């Protein structure tokens, strides 16, 4: 695995020749020959493992139903002005067991929403692993209502444990809704979650996403995040304006302006960000590269700007190659 990741970094750094690129890949032949058998083996393992567990708890349909299990892995290199360069290896996974019951779903995932820390720790979201504890995997059961969120509130109840010692039981409730605003192209989506973890207490978060297409390849979004965690006992909020531009079938770019604040009784803004994220499908919808330059204006430094840059590769091991990972 390490050998393959090194080869991918070398490929990204400059061995990709435009003359070798085809309609669905930028990789030279030697890199494609390394990736293809690895991807097939690991994808088969992820798919077979999740369906086997699903078959044990569920029904005979486990072999034919759509399964959302995936594994995502890749290196990340980050530079921040004044802090130097850091590297990390991102690993995210989700095992989905859809046939356990008609509405009861067994889920094992590595990165629940509750593990991502405060909004200040998350910052602009530039880093995949920023301030996150790698021991945050959870296993639990989710009960889903069979409702279309475009017509009614769609609710989900979940309970389980965080997989670390001492074991940390949790309970959470999630509710979602999507509205089309009249006959206009604007849509408003709401995602809300109330959680309780035995070792951390209660938390509540809500996200409101207002957006509309501007053209066939451009989409405008206004996002509001509000979060409260019992550990900090501070209300945090984040406002984001995004312009997403799909350059072509395999490339996209996002321009973002982000503001973070906290408190209700004495509200104040703590951080501002200007960010651009370029994403490229390097190989057949399984290997992606991100280039993320950013300008950060932190309150603690009197809003003096600091430059940051992140380079990241992500390989997805997922049976559905038609899934849009942009």
């Amino acid at each position: 695995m390490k050998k393959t990741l090194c080869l991918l970094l070398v490929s990204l750094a400059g061995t990709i020749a435009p003359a070798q690129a085809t309609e669905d890949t930028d990789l030279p032949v030697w890199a494609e020959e390394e990736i293809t058998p690895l991807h097939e083996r690991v994808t088969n393992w992820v798919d077979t493992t999740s369906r086997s567990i699903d078959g044990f708890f569920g029904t005979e349909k486990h072999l034919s139903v759509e399964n959302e299990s995936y594994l995502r892995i890749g290196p990340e290199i980050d530079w921040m002005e004044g802090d130097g360069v850091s590297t990390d290896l991102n690993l995210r996974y989700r095992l989905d067991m859809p046939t356990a019951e008609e509405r009861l779903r067994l889920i094992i995932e590595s990165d629940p929403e509750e593990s991502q820390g405060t909004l200040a720790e998350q910052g602009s979201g530039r880093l995949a692993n920023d301030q996150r504890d790698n021991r945050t995997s959870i296993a639990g059961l989710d009960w889903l209502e069979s409702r279309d969120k475009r017509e009614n509130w769609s609710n989900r109840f979940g309970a389980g444990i965080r997989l670390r010692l001492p074991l940390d039981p949790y309970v959470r409730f999630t509710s979602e809704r999507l509205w089309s605003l009249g006959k206009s192209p604007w849509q408003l989506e709401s995602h809300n979650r109330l959680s309780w973890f035995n070792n951390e207490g209660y938390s509540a978060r809500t996200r409101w996403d207002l957006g509309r297409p501007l053209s066939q390849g451009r989409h405008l979004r206004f996002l509001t995040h509000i979060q409260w965690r019992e550990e900090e006992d501070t209300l945090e909020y984040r406002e984001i304006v995004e312009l997403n531009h799909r350059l072509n079938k395999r490339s996209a770019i996002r321009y973002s302006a982000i503001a973070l604040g906290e408190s209700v009784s004495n509200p104040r803004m703590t951080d501002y960000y200007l960010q651009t994220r370029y994403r490229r499908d390097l190989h057949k919808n399984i290997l992606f590269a991100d280039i993320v330059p950013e300008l950060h204006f932190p309150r603690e430094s009197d809003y003096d700007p600091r430059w940051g840059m992140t380079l990241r590769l992500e390989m997805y091991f997922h049976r559905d190659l038609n899934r849009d990972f942009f």
Side-chain angles (χ1 to χ4, degrees):
M1 178 67 74
K2 289 184 178 180
K3 176 184 176 182
T4 301
L5 293 175
C6 291
L7 291 172
L8 297 179
L9 282 174
V10 171
S11 178
L12 180 63
T15 62
I16 300 173
Q20 293 174 306
T22 64
E23 184 177 350
D24 59 359
T25 184
D26 290 333
L27 300 185
V29 174
W30 63 266
E32 185 173 357
E33 291 175 349
E34 288 281 344
I35 290 174
T36 302
L38 169 67
H39 182 267
E40 185 64 24
R41 288 196 302 269
V42 178
T43 299
N44 286 338
W45 176 80
V46 172
D47 191 66
T48 301
T49 300
S50 61
R51 291 184 187 276
S52 297
I53 299 174
D54 191 25
F56 180 80
F57 290 99
T59 71
E60 296 179 355
K61 295 180 180 180
H62 70 278
L63 295 175
S64 57
V65 299
E66 182 179 356
N67 191 293
E68 290 297 320
S69 298
Y70 73 89
L71 173 67
R72 188 185 77 200
I73 188 171
E76 180 178 83
I77 301 174
D78 179 67
W79 170 80
M80 174 57 71
E81 185 178 1
D83 294 337
V85 177
S86 62
T87 60
D88 207 344
L89 182 65
N90 301 316
L91 177 64
R92 293 287 179 267
Y93 60 85
R94 177 184 173 94
L95 293 180
D96 186 29
M97 278 63 84
T99 72
E101 290 289 347
E102 183 179 0
R103 297 182 185 177
L104 195 63
R105 177 165 292 190
L106 176 63
I107 292 177
I108 301 173
E109 61 178 321
S110 64
D111 190 25
E113 194 174 32
E114 293 84 358
S115 73
Q116 299 175 14
T118 65
L119 293 183
E121 290 171 340
Q122 296 174 40
S124 65
R126 184 181 87 256
L127 301 180
N129 268 352
D130 191 26
Q131 299 294 332
R132 300 184 186 182
D133 187 342
N134 290 326
R135 301 172 299 161
T136 58
S137 297
I138 63 171
L141 292 172
D142 277 7
W143 184 84
L144 293 74
E145 290 184 339
S146 56
R147 292 181 177 179
D148 188 339
K149 66 180 180 180
R150 293 169 294 185
E151 299 178 357
N152 298 282
W153 284 96
S154 177
N155 302 317
R156 174 183 296 205
F157 301 87
I161 57 172
R162 179 173 286 169
L163 301 178
R164 66 179 183 186
L165 295 176
L167 294 178
D168 188 10
Y170 74 87
V171 178
R172 63 188 184 186
F173 168 74
T174 306
S175 186
E176 297 178 294
R177 188 73 163 89
L178 176 63
W179 297 273
S180 294
L181 303 185
K183 296 182 179 180
S184 74
W186 290 95
Q187 285 192 322
L188 176 63
E189 185 172 10
S190 176
H191 177 92
N192 311 278
R193 175 170 288 179
L194 177 64
S195 307
W196 173 81
F197 280 76
N198 183 61
N199 293 340
E200 298 175 1
Y202 291 95
S203 65
R205 48 187 52 81
T206 181
R207 182 181 72 245
W208 294 81
D209 183 350
L210 177 65
R212 59 160 293 171
L214 299 179
S215 64
Q216 185 174 0
R218 293 179 174 85
H219 194 275
L220 178 65
R221 298 174 70 191
F222 298 90
L223 297 102
T224 298
H225 300 247
I226 301 175
Q227 177 174 289
W228 174 84
R229 289 158 52 99
E230 187 177 6
E231 281 188 318
E232 287 80 23
D233 196 22
T234 299
L235 191 70
E236 300 178 285
Y237 41 90
R238 177 170 58 198
E239 299 288 342
I240 305 175
V241 180
E242 286 183 359
L243 176 61
N244 296 282
H245 184 195
R246 190 68 175 259
L247 302 175
N248 51 53
K249 182 181 178 181
R250 295 171 50 216
S251 300
I253 192 166
R254 172 184 294 168
Y255 306 97
S256 303
I258 305 164
L260 271 70
E262 63 181 20
S263 181
V264 174
S265 58
N266 184 27
R268 61 174 186 170
M269 304 310 295
T270 57
D271 292 272
Y272 297 94
Y273 299 86
L274 294 175
Q275 183 187 102
T276 300
R277 177 183 177 185
Y278 173 77
R279 188 166 176 83
R280 174 73 173 174
D281 177 1
L282 294 180
H283 182 65
K284 299 181 179 180
N285 207 34
I286 63 174
L287 178 65
F288 293 83
D290 290 334
I291 302 174
V292 191
E294 178 181 277
L295 195 57
H296 180 198
F297 302 86
R299 180 187 177 93
E300 62 186 18
S301 301
D302 295 325
Y303 302 111
D304 289 335
R306 299 176 64 199
W307 284 101
M309 172 71 77
T310 299
L311 303 176
R312 179 167 53 242
L313 283 177
E314 292 181 342
M315 181 177 285
Y316 287 85
F317 301 93
H318 188 278
R319 181 56 62 192
D320 182 11
L321 294 181
N322 293 319
R323 184 175 179 182
D324 189 353
F325 290 106
F326 281 94

